[in-house]
Amino acid sequence: MSPNKIVAAPQQKRSQATLERLLNATIRSLAEHGLEGTVIPRIAALAEVAPASVYRRFVNKDALMRAAFLHLLERSNEANKSQLPAMLQHPTLRASADALIRLMFLQYRQHPRLLRALARFIDADTDTAFVAAARAIMEENVQLSVQCLLVHRGQIRHASPERALRFAVLQAITSIEAIALEPMSLWHNVIPEPDEALAGDLARSFVAYLS
């Protein structure tokens, strides 16, 4: 079975609409209450369905979580495909790096509980098909950023510009994840500065490595 086919596509429009409401309600609950606070009764109430309706579609809460997270990641991927190239279209590598890092800070600050829940669920889940599917979408998002920045290939002094960009993007992501999602991270003790200052430092480090 394809890892993306966690749930069979409903045939009726009403059933499709109910499924969409359930997935969106799960994402909303995760964003507001985190992984521990997202329970079936709360999801059902947000989706305006009976809890029994959830179990008719999903064998358990984890199955619903997997479907919701894939839905979230696929939706984010489609949005990035349509919006990211224009958002990173700047005349210099430094300007594009600035834009990317500030955008990532914004995304993590807007949805900290949701993104923390996603990271922890993927790390703990034993469904290898789901984990592979989720990581494939996340990898595609990283590669999209890399492709957008490759327009500045001429400003990159690395033997392999694409490989160097992959490293730089991943380094920025992991740093921002630690700053935005981990309250006990050493970032908050060693460099307790606002996002604006840290974003500037990360952008300078990003470009310095590539140059």
Side-chain angles (χ1 to χ4, degrees):
M1 181 176 68
S2 170
N4 284 315
K5 301 299 184 183
I6 302 296
V7 183
Q11 299 302 311
Q12 298 178 352
K13 289 184 178 179
R14 181 181 298 176
S15 186
Q16 289 176 333
T18 301
L19 176 59
E20 185 78 12
R21 289 206 311 276
L22 277 173
L23 298 179
N24 290 335
T26 305
I27 293 167
R28 178 181 165 189
S29 179
L30 287 163
E32 294 177 358
H33 305 286
L35 203 55
E36 293 76 14
T38 296
V39 293
I40 295 296
R42 175 170 277 150
I43 294 168
L46 289 171
E48 300 181 341
V49 300
S53 180
V54 180
Y55 290 109
R56 282 198 292 270
R57 290 172 171 79
F58 300 95
V59 64
N60 54 31
K61 175 184 162 183
D62 282 351
L64 172 56
M65 292 289 184
R66 292 180 191 112
F69 281 131
L70 287 180
H71 182 68
L72 170 70
L73 288 169
E74 288 165 354
R75 195 170 65 185
S76 172
N77 183 265
E78 290 304 313
N80 283 340
K81 285 179 181 177
S82 64
Q83 299 170 17
L84 200 58
M87 296 175 77
L88 300 186
Q89 190 175 35
H90 294 279
T92 65
L93 175 62
R94 173 57 194 274
S96 293
D98 270 329
L100 175 63
I101 288 171
R102 291 177 199 283
L103 175 62
M104 287 194 290
F105 260 109
L106 179 63
Q107 290 174 335
Y108 277 95
R109 288 304 190 191
Q110 284 181 332
H111 309 289
R113 286 186 174 179
L114 178 59
L115 294 175
R116 189 181 296 116
L118 172 63
R120 291 179 178 172
F121 189 86
I122 289 175
D123 285 345
D125 196 40
T126 58
D127 186 318
T128 56
F130 161 74
V131 172
R135 292 199 181 280
I137 300 170
M138 296 163 75
E139 180 184 352
E140 188 176 351
N141 272 329
V142 170
Q143 192 59 29
L144 178 60
S145 297
V146 169
Q147 292 302 318
C148 289
L149 294 174
L150 270 176
V151 298
H152 302 297
R153 182 189 298 269
Q155 299 174 48
I156 299 173
R157 303 294 180 230
H158 193 281
S160 174
E162 185 170 349
R163 189 267 182 196
L165 279 169
R166 286 199 299 268
F167 180 88
V169 170
L170 282 173
Q171 188 175 51
I173 290 171
T174 53
S175 296
I176 294 168
E177 281 183 346
I179 294 166
L181 303 185
E182 300 301 333
M184 301 304 293
S185 167
L186 274 176
W187 280 94
H188 304 296
N189 298 95
V190 179
I191 312 179
E193 295 180 1
D195 290 353
E196 187 71 17
L198 294 173
D201 286 339
L202 285 171
R204 282 187 287 274
S205 174
F206 190 102
V207 174
Y209 165 70
L210 294 170
S211 300

